[in-house]
Amino acid sequence: MKIFCGRANPTTGSVEWLEEDEHYDYHQEIARSSYADMLHDKDRNIKYYQGIRAAVSRVKDRGQKALVLDIGTGTGLLSMMAVTAGADFCYAIEVFKPMADAAVKIVEKNGFSDKIKVINKHSTEVTVGPDGDMPCRANILITELFDTELIGEGALPSYEHAHRHLMQEDCEAVPHSATIYAQLVESRRMWSWNKLFPVRVQTSHGEQVIVPPSELERCPGAPSVYDIQLNQVSPTDFTVLSDVLPMFSVDFSKQVSSSAACYSRQFEPLASGQAQVVLSWWDIGMDPEGKIRCTMAPFWAHADPQELQWRDHWMQCVYFLPQEEPVVQGSALCLVAHHDDYCVWYSLQRTSPQKNGRIHPARPVCDCQAHLLWNRPRFGEINDQHRTDQYAQALRTVLKPDSICLCVSDGSLLSMLAHYLGAEQVLTIESSAASHRLMKKIFKANHLEDKINVIEKRPELLTSEDLEGKKVSLLLGEPFFTTSLLPWHNLYFWYVRTALDQHLGPGAVVMPQAASLHAVVVEFRDLWRIRSPCGDCEGFDVHIMDDMIKHALDFRESKEAEPHPLWEYPCRSLSEPQRVLTFDFRQPVPAQPVRAEGSIELTRPGRSHGAVLWMEYHLTPDSTISTGLLTPAEDKGYCCWNPHCKQAVYFFSTMLDPRAPLGGPQTVSYTVEFQPLTGDVAMDFTLADTLGDGHGLTLP
């Protein structure tokens, strides 16, 4: 059966109704899930298997039958481990129906159907009794309900319910416990992901400084954690202010509470500085003695950095204190971890909350609008002074004293640059109420509320009255739009420029004047694992899961490029970067597709995992902003990516299997087509290997 789905097209700005398969969302979820990453996480799998064997043995040693409840079974892997370890029966709970169906097939394929019952329900809906899903309570609880924050997927409420309704008293649990760790640091780079810094603009009248409104400075920020690959943050980017502090632990073998709580740890700062950021991670102990541990610690806090396991389904956490606070080396302070049923946050206090009786502060909520409009990378981008200087330098070459400037980008400071650099009149379009309110605050804080006119409407709806009857002589954009996910989605600026054509005066300048799409073929150090088939996992056949993901990827949207912040995922370029398509913003969007064909020669040895694509914006003939590669690759091909942007990754499926021959392709042929009607960038890659045959991938 087919259904109609409404989607806002991020490139054209229009709402489209598309006919999709009724299981469309399921296929998206599966195609972009972390199942492959988890199955490739050997450290996780081995530790779980060890913990399960030990738990089954302890139950058997007590003369009891080993009855397992596996919540969030996924592929059924942990249940199969339990049966292999000697469990008498397993109840495998999986709420996501496509996964539950796959688990049934995988269990059957491996010959465990008589010992494992897959239940397609949420664990809170499972019943116990003669007519229930389970005839009696279980005595071994196995779960993998964790995210990077540990509790963000609802682990605490699920454990709380399971102990009350599904488990025997004194049951075993795998994992047995978890501990959250924290380390206080000062980091200008990470703090720039959370606060607006003063922005400096050199003008003919001296330096002007754009200052943040007081509301932004006071705002505690967004409550959401920023999960990143902390191992890719250079140690030179932060100053450690505390030892690694164990903040709190959860014993999963006993009744768990999801109620809000706080935990205080006193420490003496290792150095004086500004306390700004809390780095956090967790480990899980698979046994009561804590001998079998699986840790998310970054390399500097890892017991054996050489044994560090790469994984993307569990990373590390960056939390921002509500305000930066000065700390003095050796002067005792208390770091406080707060949590509710789904979130963790931190505060710094001079005395322990237990001593002064302070009430647990509520979860921080943004009240300045900025954290609702700008994500963490966007904060970093706006705070990048070098990037601001590039735009300012380009503006100086195109601005005239009588320039009428119209700025089109979400929550951008470009309009302020244009004003300070001498434009006669500046207008900016903010299509959302949130961005309109935020920019009003920023303009007021800088005494520009009467200097820059903010228009709250979609750019396509602009009228001559909005422009006070004047024609625009300079149309500006970064471009940046909050709806953009892939690099070319910001081509929305081109569609806006086309819609505004009637409002542009004779000889009007558009900045950027053009954009180009670039590509390079790469070998990833680790990221390839998230799309690599597993086949066999700890002795269990999970080919059915591989086939399920492959089938999901056959659906149109699930095959699209994936946005990834590649500064977190090291890779080597196997080719030189190549410009594959150009978009001329000085002209309206053409009626016909823009098409290019070519080939990319591979100049370095390696496994071609995929192509990375990004946009470059040509502000003027002499000034270009790259959203991808920032510098030419080193001799060995190591890449330096723009840390504020996500790049688009097209994985070459035939090269993701580690069992594939290493010869690899010598050239990658491509066809690229920009489709004006939909705003899509369609691609077809052909990998030609050393034997002369190829593999075609059609990628929208």
Side-chain angles (χ1 to χ4, degrees):
M1 188 177 85
K2 299 289 186 178
I3 59 173
F4 282 100
C5 296
R7 293 192 314 173
N9 187 310
T11 309
T12 65
S14 62
V15 175
E16 301 171 344
W17 288 93
L18 303 173
E19 189 179 59
E20 303 287 2
D21 183 272
E22 63 178 322
H23 300 307
Y24 167 71
D25 287 342
Y26 286 169
H27 291 295
Q28 269 200 317
E29 183 75 18
I30 294 164
R32 299 181 179 181
S33 69
S34 298
Y35 290 118
D37 182 30
M38 289 187 283
L39 293 174
H40 282 292
D41 189 342
K42 194 155 187 70
D43 178 62
R44 162 194 177 270
N45 299 338
I46 289 174
K47 300 293 177 56
Y48 260 100
Y49 211 167
Q50 291 173 342
I52 288 169
R53 287 193 190 101
V56 171
S57 293
R58 288 193 299 274
V59 170
K60 293 285 190 179
D61 289 345
R62 296 198 291 263
Q64 301 174 356
K65 283 188 174 183
L67 303 177
V68 173
L69 175 65
D70 175 9
I71 300 179
T73 194
T75 60
L77 176 66
L78 302 184
S79 286
M80 293 189 294
M81 287 180 175
V83 171
T84 305
D88 294 279
F89 203 85
C90 291
Y91 301 94
I93 314 301
E94 176 56 54
V95 69
F96 186 40
K97 190 177 189 308
M99 275 309 308
D101 293 342
V104 170
K105 295 175 183 176
I106 292 171
V107 166
E108 181 179 3
K109 174 81 171 177
N110 286 272
F112 296 112
S113 295
D114 60 330
K115 291 290 187 76
I116 298 174
K117 177 183 179 182
V118 178
I119 303 171
N120 179 208
K121 287 185 176 182
H122 194 283
S123 62
T124 57
E125 299 171 343
V126 172
T127 57
V128 177
D131 299 320
D133 299 305
M134 300 165 54
C136 63
R137 293 182 177 230
N139 55 14
I140 299 177
L141 177 58
I142 300 175
T143 60
E144 208 281 52
L145 299 171
F146 314 119
D147 65 352
T148 293
E149 200 173 15
L150 185 71
I151 67 171
E153 291 184 359
L156 295 182
S158 295
Y159 272 111
E160 187 174 41
H161 177 272
H163 277 291
R164 285 180 179 169
H165 302 285
L166 306 175
M167 302 305 301
Q168 299 176 20
E169 289 188 20
D170 301 322
C171 68
E172 301 289 342
V174 182
H176 180 83
S177 62
T179 301
I180 286 184
Y181 301 87
Q183 190 167 34
L184 187 68
V185 304
E186 174 181 357
S187 173
R188 178 177 175 81
R189 180 186 178 189
M190 287 186 265
W191 196 238
S192 77
W193 299 338
N194 183 59
K195 296 289 184 179
L196 179 61
F197 292 174
V199 178
R200 303 182 184 280
V201 186
Q202 301 299 327
T203 76
S204 58
H205 303 292
E207 183 180 78
Q208 295 285 345
V209 181
I210 300 173
V211 298
S214 57
E215 295 99 314
L216 265 72
E217 295 193 311
R218 293 195 305 265
C219 180
S224 57
V225 63
Y226 190 23
D227 52 341
I228 65 171
Q229 294 283 356
L230 201 50
N231 289 309
Q232 297 309 312
V233 177
S234 170
T236 60
D237 282 334
F238 60 92
T239 300
V240 170
L241 299 180
S242 78
D243 290 320
V244 176
L245 306 172
M247 296 305 301
F248 65 92
S249 297
V250 183
D251 185 340
F252 296 128
S253 70
K254 295 181 171 58
Q255 181 62 57
V256 172
S257 172
S258 62
S259 300
C262 73
Y263 306 87
S264 176
R265 290 291 177 267
Q266 190 176 64
F267 70 99
E268 293 186 358
L270 302 176
S272 298
Q274 291 292 118
Q276 298 168 326
V277 174
V278 176
L279 308 180
S280 183
W281 57 90
W282 48 264
D283 66 19
I284 44 179
M286 300 296 184
D287 61 325
E289 297 77 26
K291 295 179 180 178
I292 309 169
R293 303 200 75 81
C294 184
T295 180
M296 307 307 120
F299 69 86
W300 67 85
H302 200 284
D304 186 0
Q306 298 301 316
E307 296 297 317
L308 199 68
Q309 169 75 51
W310 184 88
R311 48 174 67 95
D312 204 46
H313 59 107
W314 295 330
M315 294 185 278
Q316 294 80 35
C317 301
V318 174
Y319 295 96
F320 303 96
L321 293 177
Q323 299 295 330
E324 61 180 345
E325 298 187 36
V327 299
V328 178
Q329 182 178 1
S331 297
L333 293 169
C334 288
L335 183 64
V336 185
H338 312 262
H339 78 77
D340 54 20
D341 47 353
Y342 283 91
C343 287
V344 178
W345 63 96
Y346 287 88
S347 64
L348 194 63
Q349 300 186 10
R350 300 294 166 180
T351 58
S352 172
Q354 287 84 0
K355 292 182 179 180
N356 61 19
R358 291 176 65 177
I359 299 173
H360 306 160
R363 183 195 304 182
V365 176
C366 170
D367 55 16
C368 75
Q369 305 295 321
H371 300 90
L372 304 178
L373 183 67
W374 299 334
N375 59 19
R376 308 300 190 187
R378 178 60 173 167
F379 265 100
E381 188 171 59
I382 291 174
N383 285 323
D384 186 337
Q385 185 65 53
H386 174 69
R387 179 177 179 273
T388 298
D389 292 343
Q390 284 182 276
Y391 279 99
Q393 183 58 37
L395 269 171
R396 291 186 189 99
T397 67
V398 298
L399 270 175
K400 298 178 180 178
D402 60 350
S403 289
I404 307 298
C405 296
L406 177 63
C407 300
V408 184
S409 281
D410 290 344
S412 174
L413 304 185
L414 267 186
S415 58
M416 303 179 76
L417 299 189
H419 171 77
Y420 285 135
L421 293 173
E424 177 182 305
Q425 185 175 358
V426 180
L427 306 95
T428 184
I429 297 178
E430 300 294 343
S431 55
S432 75
S435 61
H436 181 266
R437 288 193 295 268
L438 173 62
M439 297 314 296
K440 281 281 195 180
K441 291 177 183 178
I442 295 175
F443 294 158
K444 185 176 181 180
N446 290 275
H447 311 293
L448 298 177
E449 63 268 39
D450 298 326
K451 306 292 185 181
I452 300 175
N453 183 14
V454 187
I455 303 169
E456 185 185 348
K457 63 168 51 178
R458 291 192 62 80
E460 306 93 310
L461 304 178
L462 197 71
T463 65
S464 179
E465 288 74 20
D466 295 320
L467 299 174
E468 300 171 4
K470 298 179 180 178
K471 293 290 185 179
V472 174
S473 58
L474 178 57
L475 179 64
L476 296 177
E478 298 188 29
F480 171 84
F481 302 99
T482 56
T483 54
S484 298
L485 297 176
L486 293 165
W488 46 86
H489 287 167
N490 282 321
L491 286 175
Y492 175 56
F493 177 76
W494 201 9
Y495 288 83
V496 169
R497 176 258 179 268
T498 302
L500 297 177
D501 196 52
Q502 61 179 314
H503 300 298
L504 302 182
V509 174
V510 179
M511 192 186 101
Q513 65 178 24
S516 51
L517 180 66
H518 295 248
V520 67
V521 177
V522 302
E523 176 185 52
F524 287 108
R525 191 176 73 188
D526 297 297
L527 187 63
W528 61 272
R529 301 174 194 273
I530 69 171
R531 293 293 171 262
S532 176
C534 186
D536 179 275
C537 184
E538 303 307 317
F540 302 100
D541 185 345
V542 293
H543 279 92
I544 290 171
M545 186 67 213
D546 295 337
D547 294 341
M548 184 179 177
I549 293 174
K550 184 177 183 302
H551 178 61
L553 287 168
D554 287 338
F555 277 71
R556 177 188 49 77
E557 181 151 335
S558 298
K559 288 190 298 184
E560 288 182 349
E562 302 177 19
H564 290 284
L566 291 188
W567 73 268
E568 296 184 54
Y569 303 101
C571 62
R572 293 174 54 244
S573 63
L574 303 185
S575 71
E576 295 304 313
Q578 191 160 321
R579 180 186 295 199
V580 296
L581 214 57
T582 299
F583 312 94
D584 188 354
F585 295 162
R586 293 169 298 184
Q587 303 298 324
V589 175
Q592 300 302 316
V594 180
R595 182 184 178 90
E597 296 181 1
S599 62
I600 302 174
E601 181 182 355
L602 304 190
T603 56
R604 298 182 181 91
R607 192 183 294 275
S608 304
H609 288 137
V612 176
L613 294 103
W614 68 94
M615 298 291 286
E616 294 189 0
Y617 295 102
H618 309 289
L619 306 182
T620 66
D622 301 318
S623 180
T624 295
I625 296 283
S626 174
T627 67
L629 281 176
L630 295 181
T631 58
E634 301 173 355
D635 290 342
K636 293 184 179 180
Y638 295 110
C639 301
C640 176
W641 299 102
N642 186 324
H644 311 311
C645 304
K646 289 184 178 181
Q647 292 74 38
V649 178
Y650 285 115
F651 287 109
F652 300 158
S653 59
T654 55
M655 301 303 295
L656 296 176
D657 190 334
R659 298 163 296 185
L662 267 173
Q666 298 300 302
T667 61
V668 177
S669 300
Y670 64 82
T671 301
V672 183
E673 184 174 280
F674 169 68
Q675 300 166 343
L677 186 63
T678 62
D680 289 338
V681 175
M683 293 191 176
D684 181 82
F685 284 101
T686 302
L687 283 65
D689 62 27
T690 54
L691 300 177
D693 58 351
H695 179 76
L697 300 174
T698 301
L699 301 168

